[in-house]
Amino acid sequence: MKKIIKKNYSIHKNVLVKRNSSQITKSHNPKWGMEIETKNFANKVKLYRQGKISDDDFRRYRLQHGAYGSRLNTEYSMIRIKIPGGEINPEQLEKIANLSEAFSIGSAHVSTRQNIQLHWVQLEDVSEVMRGLVEVGLTSRESCGNTVRNVMCSHFAGVCTDESYDVSPYAKAIARFFLRNPMCQNLPRKFKINFACCSKHGLASIADIGLIPVIKEDGNRGFRIYLGGGLGAASFIGHLLEDFTPEDKLLATCMATIRLFDRFGNRENLARNRMRYLVHETGWEKFQKMVIKERTVVAVTTSELTRIQYEYRKENESSLLSSIKISPISEKKLKLPVLNDDGNNTTESKHQGFKRWFNTNVVSQKQLGYYTIFITLGAGDITSNQLRFLANIIRDFSQEHTARNTPQQNIAIRYVEGKDLFNLYQKLTTIGLANPGALSIASPVGCSGTTSCNLAITNSHRLAKEIQKKLLELRYDTDEDLKSSTIKISGCPNSCGQHEIATIGFFGGASRIGTSMAPVYTMLLGGNSDEKGELGKTLIRVPAKKVIDVVLKIIELYKQEKHEIQNIEQDPKLPFNNLENWISDISKGIGNGKIKNLDDIKNLLIPVIQLATIEESPDSYQDYGNDTKFTAKTARGECAA
Amino acid sequence: MEMIQNSLQKLQEENVQLELHIFNTSRKETNKGRPCRTINFKPKEKSYNLKKQKSINKTINSSTKNIVKNTKKTKTVKARTTTTRKTDVKKSNNNKTKFHQLSITCDVDTLRTLIRKKSVRVVDVRRHDDYKKGHIPTAVSLPLATVLANDTPEGIIKILQNLGISNLMPVVIYDDTFGALAARVAWTFQYVGHTNTALLEVTFSKWKSIGLEVERKINKFSATKHSISLNNNIHADASYVENISILPKQDLQNNVEIDLHVNSNTVQSKSPDISITNPLNNKIIIDSRERLNFLTEHIPTAKNIPYTMLGTDTSILREGKELKRFMENRGISPDSEIITYCGSVGTLSGLAYYAFKLAGFNNVRLYSKSFKDWKSLGKPKQEFKEANYWDLSAE
Ligand code: SF4
């Protein structure tokens, strides 16, 4: 009986109201997809196979529709499904589960830009996957190629205790405006837009356009807009365009920026064609003036026909929730719900597990009594069965009936009531989705690496999972000092794994060690993705099989220093209060303990990274997931095709 | 009696080795530390892990014993079932004895009508224990393991006769493993000459979940005669497959394993149109295992259509027109000859066999001994080792 009530009613104006039946059976269809595109794609594949379309033309076409060539094998594709703003509903999760089972490998993969990727799909089946996506309102269109990529939105938008207002509708409206828009079908290079909820969440500083919502004293909504950030072979933190950009100038600002990029961006040099290089080469002050000027032109020349294609009010579907009481400032540090100790069917160990999970996977929302919970994935991987299970969890436990995927490659389920948390946790344990550590150091990011990417040199994906396993084994997720630190790994210098903004970041490469080639990672320390942003500083190259040792050594060194300081001073006021600060200080050369700077820590790490000879330990010269000699093999990247 | 003993012993021997790969599509374990892959279905139906597999094998063992026991009993229970037999026959308008002619799959309504008219033999190929817990009315039990243990034309004919199946009687087969076990048995019946065989379009779970009749009694029918007429054009063996799996010369390195990657432009030519890549003729080998198993290794020139593509939540096979579109997308023309294979005993590929039939292909064969046989014979394989795709699996 209880269950029935839960299913059919939801909270509105703090009273139970019956949900209308369509809400129970079907989520809102966001209609990102177009059926005609699926048929066209199938036909194009046939023409290509018959040799009637050139390789280059076909590649361009394929990428525009979100299908990458798979690693060293053009028979297969990786389909990157756009999840605008990261919002995904249960039907979509179920459809992706089925499509992956039928046409991919039975697992899906959450990317660092809130896409969901299906790997190793036969080129001939891509149109079938697209067809399925259209049924649930999704698309892979313009998720690759020189287009406006998936528009990101902080997964806390709408529930963040520090945000000034919910940017989700704006993010979706901007995504919809630029999708299939003629003005951005062939940019010099890809273009990324990130909406943050506050200065901490949402990666506003590392996008071509990054936006943070602000409300002026007069109550007007607007943004702080950052331009020209981005990660890659050369990374940049974005520049603040102006103190306040009113919301009615949002579209014009975005259009102006994209127009300038389209006009002046470098189309010759593949390595320097992202907008951040244009900004860098032009000089920020000059570029800033250009944007403001162009924005005026856009504002006065944009037709009504164009303008009506941007309608953020239409994107706001969660009015149901706007009535939930927002907790006043004093309550913002919300108390966590008390466990209901009925003791009957819950064993002690389950409670222990729950507490551990609760510690790193549950965050209280600004809405009183509601929580956002996180599903910890391994480098973003989730099976079809798990996806289907999750769909039902979302239906049963989330009052907004959708989930959001996160740039940390996890999944957030929001609007969960405190009283349901334990029950929800128990359900998750039955299908391997209750791992702790989502919001801790024990949730490393790993791009796809050699599991499917043409440019990869190392198996960053597997490495991320191996590190996660180790850290969870050691229960480092429970260590408060380590919680705020992050580990991010890319399989090559291209930064899909966002290694520059990690506390401890790695990118893959190959090195000759002794007489043999070995997979190695360049380690960076001290990055973060706050509004001001900080790029990690390169330290040393670590053999792949020594990365875990190095991570553990860093943690050990931290603990040692903390311990020593605590011993010396009677009433210790630690100059650093966690690993993240400690590393950040060291990376700036202002360490407070014995380890002052990067050279100090480097010297201490060098003994850890020494490899035995290849004869003594052949395994040390192989990459994860391989039992053969390591060779760095790559093919032409398609990012810039 | 001696014969029964012999066959029992044989069964047990078989069972020791019987690799019910359907529950465990283990890939080649080359790399340390990779998780073993198992097929998973939806939460409710899933998790046939290795541990379970053992118990499956055990129950197969005991169920085969049951069968032997039951055959002994049949002599005494004959009387009751003969009455049923008479009504098997349906009179048609022109007063000639005529059976309903089944198509490739049989829908639920048709089957229920046939059951009501008592003019069909329903065959349950699940484990005998499952059968005992409840089955479709009038169904007889024939676990897949029994078929595999008697997998000679004579053995199968004997099975047909013991189940009281005469030459023209409609036979509808079902399982609870998305149709793959049923498909293998159906194909076997058709191979020895019982053409009027169809797959029930739903699994037993589905049948039950839509609230249809289930009975628990163990059905026996008196033995009949069944003639043998081998349907050789639906069967393929290793040498048949080998003749059409020949790669262009330069890729065959003295019959050793071929390490193939995309840059060797010969095989991975941009056209998958098999008539071009395989100049021999219009014969296409289809591997129906899952993608990762296929990538790891497969018969040279084979194309991959994973069995997971073939069915839906509600039906063991998609509609013919949809399956046809899948093949069309791949540039496989309906007048091609298709040879399907899978990991070991021809179950997944059995389902693929019927999928091609449903898609309108007339010329389809099953390599029933499949890749296990191929490998044991040391035939060449195509491998793809340039990516760590197994590490993407979240299992
Ligand atoms: S960072 Fe490199 S290896 Fe990883 S996905 Fe991006 S391009 Fe591929």
Side-chain angles (χ1 to χ4, degrees), chain A residues 482-548:
Chain A
L482 310 182
K483 215 171 159 184
S484 61
S485 298
T486 53
I487 297 174
K488 296 177 196 283
I489 308 164
S490 304
C492 80
N494 276 317
S495 309
C496 305
Q498 302 173 339
H499 55 265
E500 292 100 330
I501 53 167
T503 318
I504 308 174
F506 297 93
F507 71 87
S511 250
R512 183 166 294 282
I513 299 180
T515 56
S516 195
M517 289 304 281
V520 297
Y521 285 89
T522 302
M523 181 166 81
L524 300 87
L525 289 183
N528 75 58
S529 55
D530 291 355
E531 180 170 357
K532 290 206 190 76
E534 196 75 60
L535 297 172
K537 308 225 170 46
T538 306
L539 192 67
I540 37 171
R541 279 150 84 83
V542 183
K545 292 282 168 74
K546 292 287 180 188
V547 167
I548 293 180

Side-chain angles (χ1 to χ4, degrees), chain B residues 224-371:
Chain B
T224 54
K225 278 262 165 286
H226 198 295
S227 59
I228 184 165
S229 145
L230 279 195
N231 219 340
N232 273 318
N233 56 5
I234 67 168
H235 173 257
D237 59 13
S239 64
Y240 188 90
V241 174
E242 189 167 25
N243 278 332
I244 48 176
S245 72
I246 294 169
L247 287 164
K249 273 256 160 49
Q250 54 270 46
D251 283 306
L252 272 181
Q253 301 153 355
N254 311 324
N255 252 11
V256 294
E257 293 179 355
I258 301 150
D259 186 1
L260 181 108
H261 53 89
V262 95
N263 301 335
S264 67
N265 46 12
T266 38
V267 185
Q268 300 267 351
S269 102
K270 106 179 177 187
S271 171
D273 185 348
I274 286 72
S275 55
I276 298 173
T277 50
N278 176 7
L280 283 175
N281 44 35
N282 211 12
K283 296 182 178 182
I284 304 166
I285 305 169
I286 298 291
D287 185 320
S288 39
R289 295 172 303 152
E290 287 178 59
R291 177 69 28 86
L292 295 185
N293 293 297
F294 175 81
L295 286 172
T296 307
E297 51 177 6
H298 59 257
I299 295 177
T301 76
K303 298 283 147 186
N304 187 210
I305 298 188
Y307 70 93
T308 49
M309 274 175 70
L310 308 175
T312 68
D313 285 351
T314 49
S315 176
I316 61 164
L317 287 168
R318 293 177 193 256
E319 280 179 45
K321 68 170 199 285
E322 204 173 2
L323 292 165
K324 192 161 168 250
R325 194 179 69 228
F326 292 175
M327 315 308 173
E328 268 170 19
N329 285 345
R330 284 169 154 70
I332 302 177
S333 94
D335 52 21
S336 315
E337 179 184 315
I338 303 294
I339 300 100
T340 67
Y341 79 92
C342 57
S344 74
V345 292
T347 43
L348 306 180
S349 48
L351 193 62
Y353 170 89
Y354 286 105
F356 272 97
K357 286 295 211 186
L358 213 51
F361 286 68
N362 291 322
N363 203 354
V364 191
R365 290 170 188 262
L366 174 69
Y367 174 20
S368 54
K369 289 189 177 165
S370 283
F371 202 44

